[in-house]
């Protein structure tokens, strides 16, 4: 299968649900399967290689855990 990856952002993300919570910069990793047109979104804290690889492995584990028809 062929998969596309892109990042969207930056977005302002609150660190907690408290009213005076700190705000940090965040990104959304967009994974698209071109065979099934499935889209998977993951929240990333930065654009570093390590952060991308962690989100990529998380996306792969979510796909592998989903039931197959």
């Amino acid at each position: 299968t062929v998969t596309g990856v892109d990042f969207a952002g930056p977005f302002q993300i609150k660190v907690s649900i408290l009213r005076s919570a700190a705000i940090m910069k965040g990104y959304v990793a967009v994974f698209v399967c071109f065979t099934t047109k499935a889209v998977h979104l993951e929240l990333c804290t930065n654009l570093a290689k390590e952060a991308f690889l962690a989100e990529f492995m998380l996306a792969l584990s979510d796909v592998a855990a989903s039931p197959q028809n």
Side-chain angles (χ1 to χ4, degrees), residues 4-39:
V5 179
D6 199 4
F7 280 94
F11 299 102
Q12 293 183 350
I13 300 171
K14 289 178 75 171
V15 177
S16 70
I17 60 171
L18 299 175
R19 188 186 310 182
S20 61
I23 295 177
M24 63 182 294
K25 193 184 298 186
Y27 301 89
V28 174
V30 182
F31 299 93
V32 179
C33 175
F34 293 124
T35 303
T36 63
K37 306 295 189 262
V39 177

Side-chain angles (χ1 to χ4, degrees), residues 7 10 12 19 21 25 32 34-35 41 43 46 50-52 55-56 61-63 65:
F7 280 94
Q12 293 183 350
R19 188 186 310 182
K25 193 184 298 186
V32 179
F34 293 124
T35 303
L41 305 174
L43 183 63
N46 59 34
E50 292 80 14
F52 167 74
E55 296 303 327
F56 183 68
S61 68
D62 287 348
V63 170

